[in-house]
Amino acid sequence: MVDVVSLLSVALLIGGVVGTVVPLLPGGTLSLAGLFLYWWHSGFTEPGVLALLVLSALALLAIVAELVGGAIAARAGGASWQTTAIAAIAGILLMIVTGPIGLLAGLFGTVFVLEFVRDGAFDRSVRSASYATVGILASTAVQVLLTASVLFGFAVAVVLF
């Protein structure tokens, strides 16, 4: 029979994957919580220490990708740190009001406008805004892969070993 804590652990791990594509849900953090809840509930025996370390590292990478993926891409496209910070705030605020489309449009628009005001180069502004927007999408894809790997690795470690 499956107990409530085990079900909650698996629900958190599944929520981790879902959380990477649903705004304002911390996917990597949910995955980490589910992993450690199950480990604690098993008396610190399942999954094994090696599996726990590897899966924790994957969840932590997902958290890092969530926090800095877009900023790294914006910087790679030539945006300033100030532009990146303002665009992140504007994107989050617009996402709350209009959802994921608001995040992408707000991020692109903010980076474009601030970079255009900063140096007046249309092409560089479009490039920086494009990098930032693609960076957010790529960061989400990386987070999905990492949290799905945590879920799959957990299932393998607990069921097979």
Side-chain angles (χ1 to χ4, degrees):
M1 186 164 113
V2 177
D3 57 271
V4 175
V5 176
S6 295
L7 285 175
L8 179 59
S9 298
V10 172
L12 285 168
L13 287 161
I14 292 169
V17 178
V18 173
T20 60
V21 293
V22 174
L24 301 178
L25 281 179
T29 305
L30 290 174
S31 292
L32 206 55
L35 184 63
F36 277 91
L37 177 62
Y38 189 87
W39 189 59
W40 168 78
H41 181 64
S42 73
F44 307 104
T45 59
E46 288 186 332
V49 174
L50 180 60
L52 181 73
L53 290 174
V54 170
L55 296 174
S56 295
L58 292 174
L60 289 171
L61 283 173
I63 292 168
V64 169
E66 181 178 12
L67 296 175
V68 299
I72 290 171
R75 288 291 298 151
S80 70
W81 283 115
Q82 181 181 11
T83 295
T84 302
I86 293 170
I89 293 167
I92 290 169
L93 292 175
L94 284 169
M95 178 181 64
I96 292 169
V97 175
T98 61
I101 299 299
L103 168 67
L104 296 175
L107 183 70
F108 184 91
T110 303
V111 171
F112 174 78
V113 168
L114 292 176
E115 287 300 300
F116 189 75
V117 167
R118 185 173 71 119
D119 69 7
F122 181 83
D123 292 346
R124 287 195 55 202
S125 300
V126 169
R127 178 176 175 233
S128 294
S130 297
Y131 268 67
T133 305
V134 170
I136 287 289
L137 295 172
S139 170
T140 299
V142 166
Q143 291 172 64
V144 168
L145 290 173
L146 289 169
T147 55
S149 296
V150 171
L151 176 61
F152 180 74
F154 171 82
V156 169
V158 170
V159 173
L160 294 180
F161 297 106

